[in-house]
Amino acid sequence: MKAVIVCVSVSHGNTRRVADSMAEVLGAKVVSPEEADVGELGQADIVGFGSGVFYGRLHPRLTGFVRSLPGVSAPSGGERRGAFVFATSGLPELPLVFSYARPLSQLLQGKGFEVDATFSCRALDTWAPFKPLGGLNKHRPNAADIAAARAFAGGLGRPRARTRAGT
């Protein structure tokens, strides 16, 4: 299975650590939106898209990149091209109320991707109110979060993985 992960990791390298752990399992390369080759994404069996969460949303560089993508064609089997979305955040996601991944998942579906699954885990957050305290989730993502990300990646490509969250 050919895989590519498009990742924006700007504050503390947390999202990149999660992306790298998934990439090891998938045999994927991790690229920024600026480094991504649209042709290569079109040839991949599955493409991951992830970033940290900023003000309740995935990074604008990632969402802007997805908006700029042309539609992708389906592989020869006629199914839509696979994708997954992942996020790291200081505050927990509330999937029934608000999902960090849902807006990007919808954009990807509009571009012809089939979003197989989403993943999120907690990470160091030094946003303004938390900065004087040294941040929130100081030791995250931790080994358990990385193990959960690896397990998530290991389940991709199987009959429709579902949304999973780290600890």
Side-chain angles (χ1 to χ4, degrees), residues 3-4 16 18 24 34-35 37 41 64 67 80-81 94 100 104 108 110 116 122 125 134-135 139 147 152-153 163-164:
V4 178
R16 181 63 190 234
V18 170
E24 287 177 15
E34 297 79 15
E35 299 168 325
D37 178 336
L41 299 184
R67 281 191 183 97
R80 299 177 87 177
R81 189 153 320 278
L94 303 171
Y100 300 134
L104 188 65
L108 288 165
D116 293 333
R122 305 292 281 282
D125 187 344
H139 303 289
F152 168 83
T163 300
R164 296 216 344 224

Side-chain angles (χ1 to χ4, degrees), residues 37-44 47 49 64-75 79-83 106-114:
D37 178 336
V38 174
E40 185 176 24
L41 299 184
Q43 296 299 314
V47 182
F49 298 88
F65 172 73
V66 171
R67 281 191 183 97
S68 74
L69 286 175
V72 297
S73 58
E79 295 180 7
R80 299 177 87 177
R81 189 153 320 278
Q106 291 170 340
L107 274 174
L108 288 165
Q109 288 169 349
K111 297 290 184 172
F113 287 94
E114 179 68 34

Side-chain angles (χ1 to χ4, degrees), residues 122-155:
R122 305 292 281 282
L124 175 63
D125 187 344
T126 53
W127 180 56
F130 308 126
K131 195 170 195 162
L133 305 171
L136 205 60
N137 305 313
K138 293 178 187 173
H139 303 289
R140 303 287 292 275
N142 58 25
D145 296 318
I146 297 301
R150 292 177 65 80
F152 168 83

Side-chain angles (χ1 to χ4, degrees), residues 6-24:
V6 181
C7 173
V8 175
S9 184
V10 297
S11 296
H12 306 287
N14 297 317
T15 308
R16 181 63 190 234
R17 286 181 45 219
V18 170
D20 287 342
S21 70
M22 292 178 176
E24 287 177 15

